[in-house]
Amino acid sequence: MSSNSFGKLFTVTTFGESHGPAIGCVIDGCPPGLAIDESEFRTDLDRRATGKSRHTSQRREADDVEILSGVYEGKTTGTPIALLIRNTDQRSKDYGDIASTFRPGHADYTYWQKYGIRDPRGGGRSSARETTMRVAAAVIAKKWLAERYGVRVRGYLAQLGEIAPEGFDWEAVEQNPFFWPHAAQVPQLEKAMDALRKSGDSVGARVNVVADGVPPGWGEPIYGKLDGDLASALMSINAVKGVEIGDGFAAVAQHGSQHRDEMSADGFASNHAGGILGGISTGQAVIASMALKPTSSILIPGHSVNLAGEPVEVVTKGRHDPCVGIRATPIAEAMMALVLIDHALRHRAQCGDVGEVKPRLP
Ligand SMILES: Cc1cc2nc3c(=O)[nH]c(=O)nc-3n(C[C@H](O)[C@H](O)[C@H](O)COP(=O)(O)O)c2cc1C
């Protein structure tokens, strides 16, 4: 299995399986001198973790990060940073049936076709457990982006099944287990999730992610476009089936006079572009959105085949998320931050001498 590395100058390579002894990553290219401590990983890893509310998988991982290299006396040294998290809550017997059958909608069948062998425990490498390390690596990326450029990356759940936010407040997002931006709707979400769990089914979701403070100039034409890399990064998250930048697919029905973001000395009048033009950041907020499919591991029986190609009925027990989108918010933030730090470093490498050019819109 190749393609486990991500990024050109800030390169993250992840390893590990859901039910192996540990998962980890190596970050190559982190700027030296950034203060970082093991305790700083706690907040984002807790935000991504399972078992935090009854609406997500009840698997409980401590997710304690060990820094194995690249940090000396609390500061990054510029050498590869190795992070390790030991898996502590494997219950592989929960997943016995997955070894001999293929869950419809999961990656069991394609991994089997590709490699002719697979680690079925908890989905092995196809499990979203792997995304823990992206979140860990992005703790470093977020901190550097914030300190060096004042960039802040935040996400929220923008739709759960049929339910859409009826109000918006960033403050609310971190105060409920759904990352929902309108506190008054949380009881409605809880009710919907309780009913869903009872039915044994699952539901899809939309997650939006926004980066404020990104200066103009990040991103490279033609094959290194910021929006292209963002789309690829978000699409690499498990269960993501669609990505939009700015107005995304709504642009189809718009007119040019409506979609273009007009400019004045006071700045841009709107942000339909999602902060990116020609693959390069405009200096506005970078805005992306992603669609997550409903979890495939469900209690509703479904038709499939076993390893012998015989018909079987699949019912997936075990500890699964009834809506994977709920825990995807910190993962989307992580991928946005990893793309941004990579492009910040790439921009600095090629265009660092260009400096600020006029006019620079506020
Ligand atoms: C945060 C998160 C948690 C997930 N949890 C589960 C889960 O509990 N059960 C499951 O079947 N799929 C889960 N998934 C989705 C699978 O990992 C994914 O559907 C599978 O690997 C197939 O890949 P694809 O859907 O991207 O094609 C989760 C995804 C995310 C982002």
Side-chain angles (χ1 to χ4, degrees), residues 12-337:
V12 180
T13 304
T14 69
F15 63 87
E17 282 83 28
S18 177
H19 286 47
I23 52 176
C25 71
V26 176
I27 303 162
D28 201 3
C30 181
L34 180 76
I36 199 82
D37 179 84
E38 283 175 356
S39 66
E40 291 179 69
F41 295 92
R42 175 58 44 216
T43 306
D44 267 357
L45 290 177
D46 276 356
R47 289 170 77 232
R48 198 217 70 97
T50 49
K52 296 291 168 195
S53 87
R54 68 179 190 278
H55 309 297
T56 58
S57 163
Q58 290 307 295
R59 192 174 170 202
R60 279 171 207 277
E61 293 281 9
D63 286 350
D64 290 324
V65 171
E66 294 169 47
I67 301 175
L68 303 184
S69 71
V71 177
Y72 177 67
E73 293 184 340
K75 288 200 170 150
T76 59
T77 57
T79 60
I81 301 170
L83 305 177
L84 191 84
I85 296 178
R86 293 179 200 279
N87 289 326
T88 54
D89 189 20
Q90 302 103 313
R91 246 198 250 166
S92 299
K93 67 176 171 40
D94 279 356
Y95 305 96
D97 293 344
I98 300 174
S100 54
T101 61
F102 303 108
R103 286 169 292 175
H106 213 287
D108 307 330
Y109 179 72
T110 48
Y111 268 57
W112 182 249
Q113 289 297 322
K114 185 169 181 65
Y115 302 107
I117 182 171
R118 75 195 159 102
D119 177 352
R121 300 166 304 162
R125 183 83 178 146
S126 75
S127 163
R129 180 91 185 115
E130 183 271 341
T131 62
T132 315
M133 294 322 303
R134 310 185 195 200
V135 172
V139 166
I140 295 174
K142 279 180 172 177
K143 186 166 185 191
W144 186 82
L145 285 165
E147 286 191 359
R148 181 70 182 74
Y149 291 99
V151 170
R152 176 150 72 156
V153 183
R154 292 180 288 182
Y156 61 95
L157 195 63
Q159 195 169 329
L160 188 149
E162 298 281 336
I163 309 173
E166 290 164 8
F168 191 88
D169 179 6
W170 275 119
E171 292 281 306
V173 172
E174 296 300 323
Q175 285 162 14
N176 66 78
F178 300 99
F179 300 99
W180 195 258
H182 189 51
Q185 281 177 285
V186 170
Q188 182 192 357
L189 300 179
E190 288 181 326
K191 210 169 143 202
M193 289 304 295
D194 286 341
L196 184 69
R197 223 179 17 259
K198 232 182 206 168
S199 73
D201 216 338
S202 60
V203 75
R206 178 193 277 267
V207 170
N208 289 357
V209 58
V210 180
D212 292 303
V214 175
W218 293 0
E220 295 172 345
I222 298 293
Y223 301 112
K225 290 186 175 185
L226 188 58
D227 39 3
D229 284 357
L230 260 179
S232 170
L234 295 174
M235 194 60 104
S236 78
I237 298 172
N238 314 46
V240 170
K241 298 305 279 184
V243 174
E244 295 183 321
I245 308 292
D247 283 3
F249 280 87
V252 174
Q254 294 172 352
H255 291 155
S257 53
Q258 184 187 358
H259 182 86
R260 65 182 178 179
D261 301 308
E262 293 186 74
M263 289 172 268
S264 74
D266 294 332
F268 289 90
S270 52
N271 189 5
H272 298 286
I276 303 170
L277 291 171
I280 300 169
S281 59
T282 62
Q284 294 178 279
V286 175
I287 303 171
S289 183
M290 63 186 203
L292 293 113
K293 74 187 195 185
T295 323
S296 54
S297 304
I298 51 176
L299 291 168
I300 312 263
H303 298 299
S304 185
V305 292
N306 62 18
L307 289 179
E310 298 156 343
V312 290
E313 191 171 74
V314 173
V315 173
T316 310
K317 300 192 182 109
R319 298 165 294 171
H320 294 279
D321 285 280
C323 174
V324 302
I326 296 176
R327 290 199 297 121
T329 296
I331 306 168
E333 292 173 4
M335 294 316 288
M336 170 91 86

